[in-house]
Amino acid sequence: MAKIYIITGKGGVGKTSVAAAHAVRSAAEGKRTLLVSADMAHNIGDLFQVQVGRHATEVMERLSLLELDPYMLMREEYPNVNRSIASVSGSVGSAAAQAGDSYMIPGFENLFCLLKIRDLYLSGDYDRIIVDCAPTGETLSLLKLPELLSWYVEKFSPVGRMITRILTPVAKFRYRMTLPDSAAMDEIGKIHADLVRLEELLKDPDICRVRLVCIPEKMVVEETRRSYMYLNLYRYPVDTLFINRILPEKTGSSFMEHWRQIQTQYLKELESIFTGLTIERIPWFSTEIRGAEAVIRLCAPAIGGETLFDRPVRSDNEIYAPIEGGYSLTIKVPGAAREEVEVFPREMDVDIRINNYMRSIPLPGVLRGAKMTSRTLEDDRLTICFRVRDDV
């Protein structure tokens, strides 16, 4: 079975170098490996000092590089998806799509990158796909998109056909706007099925793993903590934290020794936060990581041992359990504070908001319409209790 490894972190922490080291190590183990850049600021070509484009480029035995361009993917590989989304978006998008113009709803470009990664996985051409993602904020937007779109399509589809059938004549003649036709609605249904399968693939720990890269500095530590919390909220399997650019114990400089002491403080903090993950420490290299030989040097001392591609991962971050009179739902949200978490139960779903991120969780049939009786946050776990019997 092929595997996908998603490498992400705050901008400037060295995630591309860590992703490249994964790829080189994988190829050295005899695995057909593809290193994919899903960051619009592509730099894997700069790192390996080769020209990389929209087609996979082999840079060494069993290792190829690919840079994804969502706008090219939209136009050339997924035109039906784009036309359907544009049609549902209304008359402007529909007219642009029918005219052959490039039209993309803001934020949807990530969808085409995800679909391409899915297709590369399903092709069977590679044993391991290493994804060098954009900085964490964009990566979170990327990874929450399948669930978000699936939720909207699922809610819209049952009534969408009826609404468009009734309102299309009125919209066309009175308001001079075009609503999606039945063919577009059919295509949206197919997209929904694709998104469900994509979500299952990315959240399957036997197929996909997410790995975080950071450096021991305050702002980076805080962003990495939040990213880990949000990734758990969306049920993505995170298994490793790479701490990059760690200064040696003897620097020979009072200035560098001051920074080493600061790093020591944040190293302890990171180890206390990420207790459930494998933590790898990467030393500060005195030379720039550039070129295949430099990446190979990084692999040896820094990127783990024999277990690099087979790490344990916790799968208990979303559990339903029976309680007296109902059920509880427990979700792992490491590092979350009580004041950051809001819970909004609805008839069919429960919405969980942490700061600017919200996830709508469809409730199982037995909990549809159940009443929330309590919510608690203890030991990095959010527990929501539901009552399903009125007489309790």
Side-chain angles (χ1 to χ4, degrees):
M1 179 186 294
K3 298 287 185 69
I4 300 171
Y5 297 86
I6 296 174
I7 314 297
T8 188
K10 184 175 172 62
V13 299
K15 59 184 178 56
T16 299
S17 298
V18 172
H22 273 73
V24 169
R25 170 72 70 83
S26 177
E29 292 180 1
K31 302 294 184 180
R32 298 168 300 163
T33 305
L34 179 67
L35 175 58
V36 179
S37 173
D39 186 350
M40 287 300 290
H42 298 302
N43 53 18
I44 59 172
D46 297 332
L47 182 65
F48 283 89
Q49 297 183 306
V50 296
Q51 187 70 33
V52 181
R54 61 192 224 180
H55 300 294
T57 302
E58 188 171 8
V59 294
M60 60 178 65
E61 188 177 2
R62 294 182 293 274
L63 175 58
S64 298
L65 311 181
L66 176 66
E67 294 178 343
L68 298 182
D69 180 345
Y71 293 92
M72 183 277 294
L73 293 172
M74 174 193 73
R75 291 191 303 269
E76 298 184 9
E77 299 203 28
Y78 306 106
N80 292 335
V81 175
N82 183 54
R83 279 195 293 269
S84 299
I85 292 173
S87 179
V88 171
S89 72
S91 57
V92 175
S94 181
Q98 291 173 7
D101 297 333
S102 297
Y103 176 82
M104 186 182 290
I105 298 173
F108 271 50
E109 62 272 12
N110 290 328
L111 172 63
F112 299 98
C113 291
L114 282 177
L115 290 173
K116 182 62 178 179
I117 292 169
R118 178 207 62 180
D119 291 348
L120 290 167
Y121 170 82
L122 294 175
S123 72
D125 294 337
Y126 303 98
D127 300 310
R128 290 172 182 155
I129 299 173
I130 317 296
V131 184
D132 175 29
C133 271
T136 43
E138 295 178 48
T139 299
L140 288 165
S141 297
L142 176 88
L143 293 179
K144 74 179 183 180
L145 196 58
E147 181 172 307
L148 179 66
L149 291 179
S150 293
W151 186 89
Y152 275 111
V153 171
E154 185 177 329
K155 303 303 178 188
F156 178 74
S157 291
V159 297
R161 294 176 183 275
M162 179 181 68
I163 291 174
T164 54
R165 186 170 61 249
I166 295 172
L167 294 183
T168 292
V170 177
K172 183 175 182 180
F173 293 107
R174 182 169 182 177
Y175 299 106
R176 299 182 180 275
M177 64 180 294
T178 303
L179 294 178
D181 57 19
S182 59
M185 294 302 298
D186 289 339
E187 190 64 34
I188 289 295
K190 294 177 184 177
I191 294 170
H192 177 240
D194 284 344
L195 289 171
V196 170
R197 287 191 290 268
L198 175 62
E199 185 183 348
E200 291 173 350
L201 183 151
L202 293 176
K203 294 184 179 182
D204 185 344
D206 292 329
I207 296 174
C208 181
R209 298 293 179 88
V210 179
R211 297 182 167 182
L212 296 167
V213 183
C214 72
I215 57 177
E217 294 181 4
K218 181 175 178 58
M219 290 184 62
V220 181
V221 169
E222 287 301 311
E223 179 166 328
T224 307
R225 178 190 65 82
R226 288 193 297 270
S227 299
Y228 183 45
M229 176 175 64
Y230 297 139
L231 287 165
N232 274 272
L233 174 64
Y234 285 95
R235 281 198 310 118
Y236 282 98
V238 183
D239 68 355
T240 307
L241 172 71
F242 293 93
I243 309 176
N244 197 13
R245 299 176 190 161
I246 299 177
L247 292 168
E249 290 188 6
K250 296 181 180 180
T251 61
S253 163
S254 59
F255 175 79
M256 297 303 290
E257 180 62 23
H258 170 70
W259 275 105
R260 192 187 72 80
Q261 292 175 3
I262 293 174
Q263 283 196 348
T264 300
Q265 170 189 344
Y266 291 117
L267 285 169
K268 291 179 180 178
E269 185 174 339
L270 286 165
E271 289 174 349
S272 68
I273 294 171
F274 296 92
T275 53
L277 302 186
T278 300
I279 297 178
E280 299 282 4
R281 296 187 174 206
I282 304 175
W284 188 297
F285 286 87
S286 58
T287 57
E288 184 181 15
I289 305 297
R290 189 165 187 177
E293 293 301 320
V295 176
I296 292 171
R297 288 201 307 273
L298 172 63
C299 289
I303 305 296
E306 299 296 325
T307 64
L308 176 63
F309 295 104
D310 187 22
R311 296 276 168 80
V313 62
R314 299 183 66 169
S315 58
D316 59 344
N317 59 341
E318 189 170 311
I319 299 174
Y320 289 93
I323 59 174
E324 185 178 358
Y327 293 85
S328 67
L329 167 61
T330 300
I331 298 175
K332 187 182 177 189
V333 283
R338 284 185 176 84
E339 61 272 16
E340 295 177 322
V341 181
E342 297 177 276
V343 180
F344 306 98
R346 293 182 288 118
E347 184 178 358
M348 305 288 286
D349 314 278
V350 59
D351 293 343
I352 301 173
R353 180 187 294 277
I354 303 179
N355 297 323
N356 294 326
Y357 287 85
M358 186 177 76
R359 182 183 175 208
S360 292
I361 302 177
L363 294 172
V366 70
L367 290 181
R368 299 287 171 88
K371 181 180 179 181
M372 184 181 78
T373 57
S374 66
R375 69 171 182 92
T376 57
L377 181 62
E378 294 181 0
D379 298 326
D380 292 336
R381 293 182 181 277
L382 172 65
T383 300
I384 308 168
C385 295
F386 297 92
R387 187 180 67 192
V388 296
R389 298 205 308 266
D390 292 334
D391 58 341
V392 176

